[in-house]
Amino acid sequence: MPRRAAVPVLAAVVVTVFAWASAFVAIRAVGADLSPGALALGRLLVGTAALGLLLAAAGRPWVAPTRREWGLLAVCGVGWFGVYNVALNAAEQHLDAGTTAMLVNVGPILIAVLAGLLLGEGFPRWLVAGLAVAFTGVLLIGLATRGAEADVLGVVLCLVAAVTYAAGVVAQKPVLRRLPPLQVTATACAIGALCCLPWAGSLVAELGTASPGSVAGLVYLGVVPTALAFSTWAYALARTDAGRLGVTTYLVPPLVVLMGWLLLDEVPAALAVAGGAVCLAGVALSRLRPAARRPDPEVRRAAASV
């Protein structure tokens, strides 16, 4: 990618990482007033409205998706925007923001697995080694939270969120080859909102008793981590491969821990921190590539003499 073209992609990645890190803290902060399903619906409704305004301002014609693209958009919308948000919100009822972010960011490994199974990318040895290391990290986080059944449930919910996140990215990538990123994001967000409509009654009731800060937090989650960050993610994903882009999300957990400490006065248990570090190390290990073998000197001399 030319350096000039890489600058806006880098800017999009920076916005995405910081916005998604702030989402973990915001969800934790408003969780006392808004239940997981209601929060997911409210966030997605705000996000859909904001994305609709962005689409109207962009003034680009609607590109009709094919039947296959509609199917992939459904996987992305139902999984990543719908199930992911409900599971993530529920997980943060049981775990602190930093530990939640660490567990959810096993997602890039799952992306590699799905790409190997569904996209024919195979399973290089570094990927297998990374999977083993990351699984060890998940076990450590599970041990750190074994004192209460609710905490174990939080770990399971985080893994559900990680799986749906990975499925959403793998489904989104092929669609971005033809459809505009903003249209893809808006469509998937609207599909996710439709999936969360069963919590409409809860949302109305809880907004009536929620504090102004929680309502503001809901609006923030819909506008910044959803409408803005998912759009910048789609922009970057359309211009680079999913594996390389997934590496950038490794910055999210330490940012969440820092934000949680500064804003919520919470720090994960030491063993959970260690487990999260092992998870991230496993993900990084899975992205390594074997060094290219240098040609034999005799082969080089023979080639030079031709």
Side-chain angles (χ1 to χ4, degrees), residues 24-217:
F24 286 92
V25 177
I27 291 169
R28 182 75 170 167
V30 306
D33 289 335
L34 298 171
S35 60
L39 176 56
L41 175 60
R43 173 180 177 175
L44 293 173
L45 287 175
V46 173
T48 300
L51 287 163
L53 292 175
L54 289 174
L55 276 174
R60 293 184 178 180
W62 173 269
V63 180
T66 64
R67 180 176 300 181
R68 177 176 180 271
E69 287 168 343
W70 272 120
L72 293 171
L73 285 169
V75 171
C76 184
V78 174
W80 197 4
F81 284 79
V83 177
Y84 170 87
N85 273 293
V86 175
L88 178 63
N89 296 343
E92 293 211 47
Q93 299 283 336
H94 307 281
L95 300 171
D96 62 84
T99 302
T100 303
M102 290 175 186
L103 273 171
V104 170
N105 273 276
V106 177
I109 278 188
L110 302 179
I111 292 172
V113 172
L114 291 175
L117 291 173
L118 304 177
L119 304 180
E121 295 183 4
F123 296 94
R125 61 180 181 179
W126 287 116
L127 172 59
V128 176
L131 285 169
V133 172
F135 182 70
T136 302
V138 172
L139 291 179
L140 289 175
I141 294 175
L143 289 174
T145 59
R146 72 186 186 281
E149 182 179 353
D151 290 338
V152 175
L153 176 60
V155 173
V156 173
L157 289 167
C158 284
L159 295 180
V160 170
V163 170
T164 51
Y165 154 52
V169 172
V170 173
Q172 187 186 44
K173 177 63 177 178
V175 180
L176 290 168
R177 294 170 185 162
R178 195 178 73 89
L179 303 184
L182 187 58
Q183 178 184 323
V184 170
T185 305
T187 305
C189 189
I191 292 172
L194 288 174
C195 293
C196 294
L197 282 179
W199 286 283
S202 298
L203 176 62
V204 172
E206 291 170 16
L207 283 177
T209 59
S211 67
S214 293
V215 175

